[in-house]
Amino acid sequence: MRLEYRLLDELNGYPVLYFYDNIEEEEIALRFACDYFIKDNMTFEKTSNSVEPEGYVIYVQKKEESSCSDDNNNFTVDAGIWVELREYRQGISDYPLVHTFKFTSYLTALLHLQSDFLYFMGREWQKTSAEIDEDRRVYVIYAQPTS
């Protein structure tokens, strides 16, 4: 399988920003579930996903907004699938870390990323967005407590 991240720029032929050959379909599905993509200290917002003859494409546009702080977390690629739950607060750029989940199953991680609501420690959280932060090798769910 091939996955490409392309810039949403029709005038320039949707240039390829990043590509991944031999990527598993399960990881592509996780990436399709994300609203944002962080790579090389740049934040991109997903505009759409596409299944094309050559493979899979995620179209993005560059965002000026910065991502969450790294909290000194550096996860290793082979250590599982890491998903952070962060509290979304409007008007700030450093979102507090609530919890870090480690999954061994792509499907379990995908279900968390696609959920509109997540229950953790007796509290209901409503998802506002999800991202993949390649710089830190972690997926992030941004959510607000409902009560």
Side-chain angles (χ1 to χ4, degrees):
M1 296 289 134
R2 181 179 172 96
L3 173 66
E4 296 178 345
Y5 281 89
R6 291 180 168 264
L7 188 62
L8 186 66
D9 182 355
E10 185 177 6
L11 293 175
N12 290 307
Y14 304 102
V16 175
L17 299 173
Y18 303 98
F19 68 91
Y20 305 84
D21 287 322
N22 302 316
I23 186 171
E24 295 181 41
E25 285 182 311
E26 294 86 355
E27 186 174 349
I28 294 169
L30 281 169
R31 290 168 179 264
F32 268 28
C34 293
D35 304 296
Y36 297 95
F37 171 62
I38 311 296
K39 178 125 177 140
D40 300 330
N41 294 316
M42 293 184 289
T43 303
F44 299 92
E45 183 176 17
K46 177 183 77 176
T47 61
S48 61
N49 300 325
S50 179
V51 178
E52 300 188 4
E54 306 82 32
Y56 299 90
V57 179
I58 299 174
Y59 292 91
V60 296
Q61 58 190 10
K62 192 160 183 347
K63 288 276 290 178
E64 297 303 318
E65 184 178 307
S66 64
S67 67
C68 64
S69 68
D70 67 8
D71 287 328
N72 297 317
N73 288 335
N74 259 328
F75 305 109
T76 58
V77 174
D78 60 352
I81 303 159
W82 295 91
V83 178
E84 292 178 344
L85 172 61
R86 288 189 174 265
E87 184 175 354
Y88 175 79
R89 295 182 188 165
Q90 194 167 2
I92 65 168
S93 62
D94 188 21
Y95 306 106
L97 179 64
V98 176
H99 185 71
T100 303
F101 300 93
K102 179 185 174 192
F103 301 111
T104 57
S105 160
Y106 282 113
L107 184 56
T108 304
L110 180 61
L111 290 169
H112 279 73
L113 287 177
Q114 289 184 321
S115 295
D116 294 318
F117 293 92
L118 177 66
Y119 293 86
F120 179 71
M121 298 291 289
R123 200 167 190 190
E124 179 183 64
W125 295 83
Q126 183 173 11
K127 182 180 82 173
T128 60
S129 65
E131 78 182 15
I132 179 170
D133 186 334
E134 275 200 13
D135 293 344
R136 297 185 310 116
R137 299 178 180 161
V138 64
Y139 293 90
V140 182
I141 298 169
Y142 295 97
Q144 297 175 315
T146 58
S147 57

